């Protein structure tokens, strides 16, 4: 609730209020201000007046028109509109982010907030508040003064939440590398700044411009008409014709299934790269029906399946065996897809599509739920039974993944220590701090983390020492023919010894022969998995397998 400030205007002079604001100014980096509506008098503290070269009457006052002079021309109308509501429509607070121009001509994003003061007749008398040029600092790209990627992510979440319509534009400067190499990085920086300026120049209220990494810019727009976007692009092209060209990918907010900024960004990036590979300097719009042209039918079918509660997907399970006594430790859940049109499909064929389109995030949670339901059944007979699920990097990037997993195990009252999560592309987890935070949340309830396919890609023990994990799964290629490869033998021996010292369990994947198994027995690995014991099988077959194995 906004307090009634009429008493302040009544009992104290404005000068006292201003003195008070001036005193507060000693305690904050923000700039306090007071604006008297009737006279247009505007008081602003000295630090701000100096920084933005605002004239004053000797007492710290200027006129509101002096303030409008330093507001970025593109933002003046929005500000005027808000002022009209404050003065004439009883709006009682002001909260805007817009640009001021400092004394050197630099554009500075400020956050301005204020509260309206009423007079004795309860009419709007004025407004006091604060201007901050630091509140938005973390969101500003230093080189261009534009908002950065973090801000774009937040903006896209707001847009998706509000279900507003519009388009996401990803713009890449063509040949920035060559410009850097030929004319030097300084010239490259100048080009980036020129592009930023031209984009800002053309972007009015329905478009917001962001600078992402390197040579990428992005615009979140509320324009729904494609033709308008094309003419926007042509204007930019014209203004930049002596500077550089841009390749642009455009995606309508409505056209992405998973309403998240990383997903819409991925779609746009694919399109933009396609434009670059097709001669650059052009704009392409996402066409729901054309993406992944080679797999077009499959993508559509998967999309429909995901929308229908993952219809057509099912899980098979492969036992994980304790090397000590060859008893069954648990199972790994592996995903399959079956349809009338395509028959049974293996993960190699559909996981990349699910990842590219972000649908893996939905399917991945379905896998978790399904695996938990099945494991609950097994645990009735075998109370120590474990289930492992696979999780790719794309799923981990979901910023709510930690909570989503916890919610599902909560829903089924499933004991966390019966669940393993196998990370399939651990080399991407470079932001250790962030991922360890996720793992810590899981570990609190007992969930264990395994690194899958160890030894492939860029995974290494040194690298893993930063991640808080419980198990390493050594890839099949090192296990295969281990009896004939002294290199593989030494590798697994070293890994298992090191792992033991650090309390990490080792599971050897892809054991196919008794010879391989015999060698592994002599090493310190705890678990093994492979066709030698059992191939992945549907739940019913696994029930029988467990019975036959005297569990
Ligand atoms: P992975 O996690 O390394 O799974 C082991 C793969 O090796 C499975 O293939 C399994 O069938 C196969 N395999 C097991 N034992 C043997 C053996 O003795 N010899 C040989 N030649 N192969 C063996 P699959 O089921 O085709 O899965 C392939 C990959 O797809 C998995 O590799 C995993 O990275 C991914 N994947 C499977 N299900 C899921 C899922 O639900 N979510 C995610 N994100 N990825 C999954
Ligand atoms: Ca796995
Ligand atoms: Ca593996």
């Amino acid at each position: 609730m906004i307090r009634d400030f009429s008493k302040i205007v009544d009992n104290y002079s404005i000068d006292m209020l201003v003195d008070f604001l001036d005193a507060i100014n000693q305690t904050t980096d923000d700039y306090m201000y007071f604006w008297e509506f009737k006279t247009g008098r505007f008081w602003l503290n000295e630090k701000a007046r100096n920084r933005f070269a605002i004239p004053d009457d000797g007492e710290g006052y200027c006129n509101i028109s002096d303030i409008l002079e330093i507001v970025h021309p593109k933002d003046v109308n929005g500000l005027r509109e808000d002022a009209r509501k404050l003065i004439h429509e009883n709006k009682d607070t002001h909260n805007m982010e817009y640009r001021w121009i400092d004394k050197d001509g630099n554009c500075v994003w400020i956050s301005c907030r204020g509260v309206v003061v009423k007079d004795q007749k309860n009419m709007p008398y004025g407004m006091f508040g604060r201007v901050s040029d630091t509140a938005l600092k973390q969101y500003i790209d230093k080189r261009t003064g534009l908002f950065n990627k973090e801000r774009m992510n937040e903006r896209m979440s707001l847009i998706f939440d509000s279900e507003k319509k519009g388009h996401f534009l990803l713009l890449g400067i063509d040949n920035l590398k060559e410009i850097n190499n030929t004319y030097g990085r300084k010239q490259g920086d100048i080009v980036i700044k020129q592009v930023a300026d031209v984009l800002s120049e053309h972007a009015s209220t329905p478009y917001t411009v962001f600078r992402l990494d390197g040579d990428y810019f992005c615009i979140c727009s509320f324009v729904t008409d494609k033709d308008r976007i094309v003419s926007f692009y042509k204007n930019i092209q014209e203004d930049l014709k002596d500077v550089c060209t841009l390749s642009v990918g455009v995606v309508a907010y409505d056209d992405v299934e998973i309403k998240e900024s990383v997903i819409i960004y991925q779609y746009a990036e694919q399109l933009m790269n396609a434009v670059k590979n097709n001669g650059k300097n052009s704009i392409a719009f996402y066409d729901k029906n054309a993406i992944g042209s080679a797999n077009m039918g499959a993508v559509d079918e998967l999309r429909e399946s995901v929308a229908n509660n993952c219809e057509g997907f099912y899980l098979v399970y492969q036992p994980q065996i304790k090397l000590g006594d060859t008893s069954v430790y648990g199972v790994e859940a592996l995903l399959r897809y079956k349809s009338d049109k395509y028959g049974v499909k293996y993960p190699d064929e559909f996981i990349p599509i699910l990842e590219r389109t972000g649908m893996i995030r939905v399917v991945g949670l379905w896998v978790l739920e399904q695996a938990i339901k099945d494991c609950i059944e097994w645990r009735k007979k075998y109370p120590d039974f474990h289930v492992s699920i696979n999780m790719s990097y794309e799923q981990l990037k979901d910023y709510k993944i930690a909570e989503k997993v916890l919610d599902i195990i909560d829903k089924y009252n499933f004991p966390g220590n019966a669940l393993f999560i196998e990370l399939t592309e651990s080399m991407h987890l470079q932001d250790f701090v962030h991922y360890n935070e996720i793992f810590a949340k899981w570990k609190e309830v007992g969930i264990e983390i395994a690194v899958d396919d160890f030894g492939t890609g860029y995974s290494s023990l040194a690298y893993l020492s930063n991640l808080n994990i419980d198990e390493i799964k050594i890839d099949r290629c090192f296990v295969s023919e281990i009896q004939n490869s002294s290199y593989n033998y030494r590798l697994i021996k070293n890994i298992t010894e090191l792992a033991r010292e650090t309390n990490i369990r080792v599971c050897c994947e892809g054991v196919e022969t008794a010879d391989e198994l015999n060698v592994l027995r002599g090493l310190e690995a705890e678990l093994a998995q492979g066709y030698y014991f059992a191939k992945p099988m549907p739940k019913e077959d696994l029930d029988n397998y467990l019975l036959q194995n005297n569990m």
Side-chain angles (χ1 to χ4, degrees):
M1 207 191 91
I2 305 303
R3 280 185 51 197
D4 175 8
F5 285 95
S6 59
K7 296 259 175 351
I8 294 178
V9 177
D10 207 12
N11 295 341
Y12 305 94
S13 70
I14 293 305
D15 285 344
M16 277 182 76
L17 174 62
V18 160
D19 282 348
F20 176 64
L21 294 180
D22 210 11
I24 294 182
N25 258 317
Q26 323 271 334
T27 67
T28 167
D29 290 334
D30 295 347
Y31 309 125
M32 312 302 290
Y33 68 83
F34 176 74
W35 169 24
E36 196 174 38
F37 292 158
K38 198 167 63 192
T39 60
R41 281 205 308 165
F42 195 101
W43 180 88
L44 187 68
N45 90 315
E46 194 181 350
K47 219 165 43 180
R49 291 198 313 271
N50 290 341
R51 168 144 192 223
F52 295 96
I54 299 167
D56 84 289
D57 64 355
E59 307 258 310
Y61 285 95
C62 64
N63 193 279
I64 185 70
S65 58
D66 297 320
I67 299 294
L68 289 177
E69 281 290 308
I70 59 151
V71 173
H72 191 289
K74 289 265 174 197
D75 299 335
V76 168
N77 282 344
L79 189 60
R80 278 187 194 279
E81 176 57 18
D82 202 60
R84 193 186 58 74
K85 289 180 182 160
L86 293 165
I87 300 171
H88 301 294
E89 287 185 4
N90 268 331
K91 185 172 189 263
D92 40 28
T93 55
H94 166 75
N95 184 359
M96 273 184 77
E97 290 166 0
Y98 60 100
R99 289 160 289 184
W100 279 10
I101 311 292
D102 75 6
K103 65 176 186 320
D104 303 320
N106 298 316
C107 187
V108 181
W109 275 100
I110 56 129
S111 149
C112 180
R113 295 188 179 180
V115 180
V116 171
V117 186
K118 303 281 177 64
D119 64 13
Q120 290 98 321
K121 293 179 194 143
N122 208 28
M123 296 303 286
Y125 180 85
M127 178 169 74
F128 69 87
R130 69 102 173 100
V131 166
S132 170
D133 61 352
T134 50
L136 298 171
K137 219 170 196 161
Q138 57 167 321
Y139 294 121
I140 306 294
D141 170 60
K142 284 207 190 86
R143 172 143 298 133
T144 60
L146 294 175
F147 281 131
N148 60 17
K149 191 167 188 173
E150 201 180 339
R151 184 69 168 185
M152 181 276 282
N153 285 328
E154 287 183 6
R155 178 64 55 89
M156 278 315 301
S157 309
L158 286 176
I159 290 175
F160 282 140
D161 285 350
S162 68
E163 294 178 18
K164 281 194 179 151
K165 293 192 189 314
H167 286 87
F168 180 92
L169 289 73
L170 185 67
L171 310 97
I173 302 176
D174 295 326
N175 307 330
L176 187 70
K177 235 191 215 141
E178 277 102 277
I179 296 173
N180 278 336
N181 289 343
T182 318
Y183 304 102
R185 282 196 81 86
K186 229 180 189 164
Q187 184 58 30
D189 290 349
I190 292 172
V191 169
I192 289 174
K193 182 76 172 83
Q194 281 172 313
V195 172
D197 290 346
V198 168
L199 293 181
S200 309
E201 176 64 31
H202 285 276
S204 53
T205 331
Y207 303 90
T208 314
V209 188
F210 302 84
R211 160 132 195 257
L212 313 181
D213 316 315
D215 52 356
Y216 283 13
F217 292 83
C218 139
I219 293 175
C220 300
S221 106
F222 293 121
V223 171
T224 49
D225 180 3
K226 279 187 182 176
D227 293 341
R228 265 183 73 192
I229 289 181
V230 172
S231 55
F232 171 78
Y233 171 66
K234 288 201 168 135
N235 290 336
I236 289 165
Q237 233 178 353
E238 174 63 25
D239 277 12
L240 285 173
K241 67 176 186 292
D242 299 326
V243 180
C244 65
T245 60
L246 297 177
S247 295
V248 187
V250 189
V251 184
Y253 304 147
D254 271 352
D255 278 353
V256 287
E257 283 83 6
I258 314 291
K259 305 285 186 209
E260 276 178 34
S261 63
V262 286
I263 305 296
I264 199 164
Y265 177 88
Q266 258 177 38
Y267 282 33
E269 192 179 26
Q270 274 174 43
L271 267 173
M272 191 193 72
N273 286 335
V275 172
K276 290 201 178 213
N277 292 333
N278 267 317
K280 305 177 179 156
N281 193 20
S282 179
I283 186 167
F285 284 81
Y286 174 72
D287 175 356
K288 227 177 166 175
N289 302 315
I291 196 150
S293 48
N295 286 311
M296 195 171 104
V299 175
D300 276 348
E301 198 182 298
L302 288 172
R303 198 171 267 138
E304 232 181 283
S305 156
V306 170
N308 281 326
N309 197 22
C310 297
E311 188 186 35
F313 286 102
Y314 64 99
L315 293 182
V316 290
Y317 294 97
Q318 186 176 37
Q320 292 176 328
I321 308 296
K322 285 192 212 164
L323 278 175
D325 58 5
T326 53
S327 64
V328 180
Y329 181 74
V331 286
E332 173 176 3
L334 294 157
L335 191 58
R336 301 286 180 265
Y337 179 76
K338 187 180 174 188
S339 78
D340 294 343
K341 190 167 167 195
Y342 296 101
V344 173
K345 288 283 154 202
Y346 288 83
D348 297 354
E349 290 172 88
F350 60 79
I351 296 259
I353 301 175
L354 295 181
E355 288 180 340
R356 208 174 59 220
T357 55
M359 290 192 279
I360 189 70
R361 295 184 179 197
V362 178
V363 179
L365 294 176
W366 177 88
V367 168
L368 174 64
E369 195 154 352
Q370 197 58 41
I372 284 180
K373 282 192 212 162
D374 288 343
C375 192
I376 286 173
E377 292 298 308
W378 290 314
R379 283 177 73 88
K380 285 180 187 157
K381 272 195 191 159
Y382 319 108
D384 289 335
F385 208 75
H386 297 86
V387 72
S388 296
I389 60 144
N390 289 284
M391 186 170 285
S392 55
Y393 176 57
E394 187 49 50
Q395 295 170 262
L396 265 190
K397 280 196 304 192
D398 178 349
Y399 75 105
K400 286 196 181 133
I401 187 65
E403 287 72 26
K404 286 179 181 172
V405 167
L406 293 175
D407 285 350
I408 292 178
I409 66 165
D410 239 30
K411 176 173 164 192
Y412 291 94
N413 214 354
F414 189 71
N417 61 6
L419 177 66
F420 283 13
I421 296 179
E422 300 187 3
L423 309 174
T424 53
E425 303 143 296
S426 54
M427 64 275 197
H428 290 307
L429 309 181
Q430 303 193 355
D431 186 354
F432 304 128
V433 179
H434 170 67
Y435 291 107
N436 280 334
E437 267 170 26
I438 297 177
F439 303 159
K441 286 184 191 161
W442 289 342
K443 278 161 187 274
E444 231 170 76
V445 299
I447 298 173
E448 298 202 356
I449 314 292
V451 164
D452 210 345
D453 305 330
F454 185 78
T456 64
Y458 298 100
S459 58
S460 74
L461 269 186
Y463 183 79
L464 284 184
S465 62
N466 295 306
L467 283 175
N468 193 358
I469 53 154
D470 305 283
E471 182 180 296
I472 291 172
K473 297 193 78 175
I474 297 181
D475 193 70
R476 181 165 61 93
C477 63
F478 299 105
V479 172
S480 178
E481 296 281 309
I482 186 170
Q483 69 278 15
N484 300 322
S485 162
S486 60
Y487 176 81
N488 284 357
Y489 178 83
R490 281 208 318 276
L491 188 106
I492 296 189
K493 189 169 159 45
N494 288 342
I495 292 173
T496 46
E497 278 168 8
L498 246 161
R500 193 163 31 118
E501 277 168 28
T502 45
N503 261 335
I504 293 177
R505 202 175 32 239
V506 170
C507 175
C508 295
E509 292 188 285
V511 180
E512 291 185 348
T513 65
D515 287 343
E516 289 165 0
L517 176 62
N518 283 336
V519 177
L520 293 173
R521 278 234 169 85
L523 298 169
E524 297 282 342
E526 281 94 340
L527 301 175
Q529 204 180 326
Y531 292 172
Y532 177 72
F533 306 103
K535 288 195 167 177
M537 57 188 114
K539 176 172 184 298
E540 302 70 42
D541 293 357
L542 192 89
D543 292 340
N544 290 330
Y545 174 89
L546 294 177
L547 279 176
Q548 280 163 22
N549 282 269
N550 301 329
M551 273 193 67

